[in-house]
Amino acid sequence: MEKFLKLIDRDPLEIVGIIPPLMGVATVEKVAIHMVMAGCRPEYAPVVITALETMLKPTFNLNGVQATTHNCAPLIVVSGPIVKELGINFGSNVFGSGFRANATIGRAIRLILLNLGGAVPGELDNSTFGHPGKFSFCIAEDEESNPWSSLHEDYGLAQGVVQLQSLPVKHHIV
């Protein structure tokens, strides 16, 4: 746990956010605890915190995602040089097993949403059918094969530079 907190380099009692619908307080320390439970490596901490901060933006409507009968689940898409640094899968079997970073980053987020947000199936999470992404849902962008600009470039972040920040939430309809 100490390794996680050292890498995060923030006060363990600092509040990352309030997790709806139960409105549990997610401190840096509580996020680290959930990462340990999920099997994350310490170096994944900045990605988990950034993903959580992004989901807590009002435009994301995490309360609606958490307390719906729909089978939605937040998908974490990681973009930029950090993908290779952490070994986040973007290729074959992208939604399958075999990649610790994908599985544990997604699982840490899900545990936070369950334990601090109260989105327990059959209680506050009344999804009719559920979704496999409610266990773990984290992938990376395949920048090398992408014919368009990368996701982090679309948001105005420098190419080739590791930048972890909470991005504005865009809803894409395909």
Side-chain angles (χ1 to χ4, degrees):
M1 171 85 108
E2 290 175 20
K3 289 180 184 179
F4 286 82
L5 294 174
K6 273 186 181 180
L7 260 175
I8 296 171
D9 195 30
R10 289 164 68 171
D11 181 344
L13 299 179
E14 178 186 341
I15 296 173
V16 176
I18 308 300
I19 313 299
L22 196 58
M23 308 314 274
V25 178
T27 62
V28 169
E29 180 179 48
K30 287 181 183 176
V31 170
I33 289 167
H34 284 86
M35 290 181 62
V36 170
M37 289 190 302
C40 286
R41 291 187 171 140
E43 57 267 27
Y44 304 164
V47 174
V48 172
I49 288 178
T50 302
L52 186 59
E53 288 172 336
T54 302
M55 284 186 263
L56 289 170
K57 291 186 177 192
T59 52
F60 187 81
N61 188 18
L62 185 57
N63 188 58
V65 171
Q66 290 269 78
T68 181
T69 57
H70 190 270
N71 64 346
C72 59
L75 171 63
I76 301 160
V77 181
V78 183
S79 176
I82 198 160
V83 167
K84 288 187 178 178
E85 286 180 27
L86 300 182
I88 303 171
N89 184 24
F90 54 81
S92 297
N93 202 33
V94 71
F95 288 109
S97 61
F99 291 86
R100 181 178 184 167
N102 296 58
T104 61
I105 290 169
R107 186 65 181 145
I109 291 294
R110 177 48 55 192
L111 288 172
I112 292 166
L113 298 180
L114 281 165
N115 295 328
L116 300 179
V120 176
E123 293 179 22
L124 292 176
D125 176 358
N126 287 301
S127 175
T128 305
F129 293 108
H131 186 285
K134 288 189 173 193
F135 179 76
S136 177
F137 214 21
C138 175
I139 62 171
E141 176 183 25
D142 180 1
E143 289 184 66
E144 294 172 5
S145 301
N146 184 356
W148 303 284
S149 60
S150 68
L151 182 61
H152 67 280
E153 289 174 307
D154 286 348
Y155 282 99
L157 302 176
Q159 185 176 14
V161 177
V162 175
Q163 294 177 311
L164 292 167
Q165 68 181 54
S166 177
L167 299 174
V169 177
K170 289 184 181 180
H171 295 278
H172 298 283
I173 298 173
V174 180

